Amino acid sequence: MAGGPPARVGVVTAKAGSFSHEVSLTGDIEAQVQSDISFRVSGRIVERLVDVGDHVTPDQVLARVDGQEQRIALDTANAALASAQAQLQQSEATFQRQKTLITSNATSQSQLDAAQENLSVAQGAVAAATAQVAQAKEQLAYADLRAGVSGTVTSRSAEAGQVVQAGQAVLSIAQDGPRDAVFDVYEALVGTPPGSPDVDITLIADPTVTTTGTVREISPIVDAKKSTIRVKIGLKETPPAMSLGTAVRGHAGLAPQRRVVLPASALFMWQGRPAVWTVTADTSQAEPREVTLDRYTTQSIVLADGVRDGDVVVTRGGQLLRPGQVVETVAEKAP
């Protein structure tokens, strides 16, 4: 046993109980569906008709490329169609003449069959040329970039004069419809089950504007810089004031867990680890006990492990204690 007079310390008797922690985080409003819009053909952008923040409709033209290549392809297809149609007219005339001659035995059956075969080939050529014209017209229409959806332009990645490739994103559109409140949540918090599936959402600029939502998506990737996970809360209703990008606060209670709550003054560091001083019941000696912290509150610490029901924990006067020191205890009010 260590020598020295007993040290007078304040203590509380630990008692495990149900502890429910409430979480409040700041995030923003985003669309549930974000679309990247791109041209289907390559070319140089000659005109951009919308800017970030504009609301667009499905058939609205957002930008145009020069379309020179597509116009040449259409002219070529029209010329091929005209040639095929002329060949068809000639083949039809030849076939009709052979039909007339065969009745008077002025031609042979083989010549009639050949004329009919040529007519079938010419008809097929016209059909193919017509399809080529339709395809060329469609390609030329792709020179106009259309939204395809209703929504708000959130970003642009190309400007007039820039050459873009087919499929290269030019604009991003947040589609109209359901909205998410998006938060960056610490990894440890994600593993704690909520007490209720509903999350209260409040507009920071006007706390009277509120709504509720449920967890819709949890990212499987942890942000390496912030050690957070992105969580999306699908809003049940979206107040008009909660427009895209507005800052909101999410508030939710976690499921109650059995924890020991002690005054913050009980905590100290022992060999680089969080610990508390406990007092043995039979010898009144102070002994350090490593603990596992769950979380902090303003004036308390919440322990997940290390202290059990009935343990006597030093909350005042532990700064100069040493292991095995005999102490005189004074009961204090538990938090």
Side-chain angles (χ1 to χ4, degrees):
M1 179 184 301
R8 188 178 178 88
V9 295
V11 298
V12 296
T13 301
K15 183 177 181 181
S18 179
F19 179 81
S20 180
H21 179 59
E22 293 187 345
V23 178
S24 182
L25 297 171
T26 301
D28 58 7
I29 299 297
E30 296 183 5
Q32 287 194 3
V33 181
Q34 186 94 4
S35 301
D36 288 334
I37 310 299
S38 59
F39 285 101
R40 298 189 187 185
V41 294
S42 302
R44 181 176 61 85
I45 297 177
V46 294
E47 191 176 17
R48 178 174 56 80
L49 302 173
V50 295
D51 210 336
V52 174
D54 291 345
H55 187 272
V56 298
T57 56
D59 291 331
Q60 183 175 346
V61 178
L62 310 181
R64 291 189 174 95
V65 294
D66 55 15
Q68 181 65 24
E69 182 179 345
Q70 289 72 36
R71 282 191 289 272
I72 293 174
L74 178 58
D75 291 343
T76 302
N78 281 325
L81 176 60
S83 176
Q85 289 173 335
Q87 185 64 41
L88 176 60
Q89 290 178 351
Q90 182 178 353
S91 297
E92 286 177 338
T94 301
F95 176 68
Q96 292 299 330
R97 185 168 58 254
Q98 291 296 324
K99 283 181 63 177
T100 301
L101 293 174
I102 196 69
T103 58
S104 59
N105 293 323
T107 188
S108 65
Q109 184 64 42
S110 61
Q111 289 178 313
L112 178 62
D113 292 341
Q116 186 172 13
E117 182 179 353
N118 290 336
L119 177 59
S120 297
V121 171
Q123 289 172 335
V126 169
T130 301
Q132 288 294 327
V133 169
Q135 183 179 8
K137 287 180 177 179
E138 185 177 15
Q139 291 293 311
L140 181 59
Y142 290 158
D144 290 344
L145 179 63
R146 299 182 185 275
V149 296
S150 295
T152 302
V153 179
T154 58
S155 69
R156 67 176 187 271
S157 53
E159 297 291 347
Q162 181 176 340
V163 176
V164 294
Q165 301 299 317
Q168 178 182 338
V170 175
L171 298 167
S172 291
I173 294 178
Q175 293 189 24
D176 292 343
R179 295 288 186 251
D180 285 336
V182 181
F183 303 93
D184 290 327
V185 179
Y186 288 107
E187 184 180 5
L189 192 59
V190 173
T192 306
S196 168
D198 290 337
V199 177
D200 295 326
I201 307 297
T202 303
L203 186 66
I204 291 180
D206 184 0
T208 62
V209 179
T210 62
T211 186
T212 59
T214 55
V215 177
R216 188 181 70 83
E217 179 181 308
I218 299 176
S219 173
I221 301 174
V222 178
D223 188 297
K225 294 182 179 179
K226 298 185 292 184
S227 297
T228 58
I229 294 175
R230 178 147 290 196
V231 176
K232 296 182 178 181
I233 307 297
L235 303 185
K236 295 181 179 180
E237 295 181 1
T238 306
M242 289 187 181
S243 56
L244 289 173
T246 53
V248 294
R249 190 180 306 280
H251 184 82
L254 302 182
Q257 296 176 303
R258 192 165 180 80
R259 294 288 187 263
V260 172
V261 181
L262 296 173
S265 59
L267 186 66
F268 75 103
M269 296 297 291
W270 176 257
Q271 296 179 347
R273 297 278 300 168
V276 297
W277 288 105
T278 59
V279 180
T280 58
D282 52 351
T283 61
S284 296
Q285 288 179 284
E287 297 293 346
R289 181 88 60 82
E290 290 187 4
V291 295
T292 301
L293 287 168
D294 184 14
R295 58 181 53 87
Y296 299 89
T297 65
T298 305
Q299 298 179 339
S300 305
I301 55 172
V302 182
L303 304 183
D305 195 17
V307 174
R308 299 180 297 273
D309 263 346
D311 286 344
V312 178
V313 179
V314 176
T315 59
R316 180 173 54 85
Q319 298 89 338
L320 302 178
L321 291 180
R322 60 184 183 277
Q325 184 175 350
V326 177
V327 297
E328 178 184 349
T329 62
V330 178
E332 296 191 338
K333 185 178 180 181

